[in-house]
Amino acid sequence: AALRDDDRDVGSDDEETSSSESSSSGKKKPQKTTWSGGASRRRRRRGLFDVDANVSVFETTIRVLGGLLSAHLFASDPELAFAADYDEPFLLRMAVDLGRRLLPAFETRTGIPFGTVNLRHGVPSGETAVASLAGSGSLSLEFGVLTALTGDGRFASAANRAVKALYDRRSNQYGLLGKHVNAQTGKWVESLSGVGSNSDSFYEYLLKMYALFGDESFWGYFEGISD
C-alpha cells in the first residue's frame, strides 16, 4: 500500500456529556461529567508521538525510529509473510511522524544536531549546544532508510550533512575527530579522540552506510579518518 501523506485519524474532538439527577428531597445532586474517549481520538489524529516530552535524538533514532522501520520492512515483505494483513503501512506512517518531530534538532548553524528535542515543540529552550560525536553522527542509517522508503529527501539530507560537518572538522594534523563538539560553533569541546563511548558508533555508521547504500562518500570518510 502506498504511503499517504496524511495519516491522521478523523475522529471527533472530545465529547463531554453532563447529567444532573434530582434526589427524593428535590435537591439536585452534583453534576456528573463523563468523557467519551475524545482525548484518545485526538492522540490518534495527531500521532502517537504528539507528546510534550524531551527525548534523546540519538537514542530515539536508533531504537524507536529504527525499530519502526525494521518492523515495517519485515511486515511488508511478502516472502516472510509475518503480517499477511499488513495492507496499510501504519508502521511507516509512525516512522515518518517521528522523523519529522526529530528534524528540528538539525536546525543549527553547522548542521550538527542538538542532542535533545521535544517531540511536540522542537528544541527545548536553553538546550546545550554540546553534542557527542556518536550522538550527532550516527543518525544517517535510519534517516537514510526513511528517505528511501518515502522519497522525502529531508531526512537523509539532514543526517548526511551532519556527518560531513563532523568529518570536515577533523584534526588537520592527525585527521582525527574529538568526542564532543559545539553544534552551533563547530568547535570541539572535547578533543580527545578514540573509538570508545561517545564516539564509537560514528565510525560504525560510516561503514554501514557504504555497505547498505553503496555511498562512496562514507567510505571516503572512513578511509580519511583511518589513514
Side-chain angles (χ1 to χ4, degrees), residues 11 32 34 59 67 90 94-95 121 149 165 207 209 217:
K32 180 174 65 176
T34 59
E59 297 291 350
F90 66 92
M94 290 171 65
H121 303 297
L149 292 174
L207 288 178
M209 284 294 292
S217 62

Side-chain angles (χ1 to χ4, degrees), residues 88-123:
E88 290 294 325
F90 66 92
L91 293 169
L92 181 56
R93 291 199 298 270
M94 290 171 65
V96 170
D97 178 40
L98 180 57
R100 288 171 177 168
R101 295 176 188 276
L102 296 174
L103 281 177
F106 294 87
E107 296 173 6
T108 64
R109 292 195 292 272
T110 64
I112 300 170
F114 286 103
T116 301
V117 71
N118 184 285
L119 291 176
R120 181 177 290 169
H121 303 297
V123 178

Side-chain angles (χ1 to χ4, degrees), residues 103-162:
L103 281 177
F106 294 87
E107 296 173 6
T108 64
R109 292 195 292 272
T110 64
I112 300 170
F114 286 103
T116 301
V117 71
N118 184 285
L119 291 176
R120 181 177 290 169
H121 303 297
V123 178
S125 176
E127 171 63 15
T128 178
V130 177
S132 71
L133 177 65
S136 58
S138 304
L139 310 168
S140 51
L141 194 65
E142 292 80 6
F143 276 71
V145 171
L146 189 54
T147 284
L149 292 174
T150 64
D152 189 336
R154 293 177 300 166
F155 302 113
S157 177
N160 294 351
R161 181 191 176 205

Side-chain angles (χ1 to χ4, degrees), residues 163-200:
V163 173
K164 185 178 186 303
L166 291 163
Y167 177 76
D168 287 345
R169 286 166 172 81
R170 68 195 184 281
S171 165
N172 291 328
Q173 183 176 3
Y174 303 108
L176 301 175
L177 292 84
K179 288 193 173 186
H180 287 91
V181 65
N182 186 303
Q184 292 287 25
T185 66
K187 302 294 184 183
W188 291 106
V189 177
E190 181 184 6
S191 57
L192 179 67
S193 187
V195 293
S197 61
N198 296 311
S199 58
D200 49 0

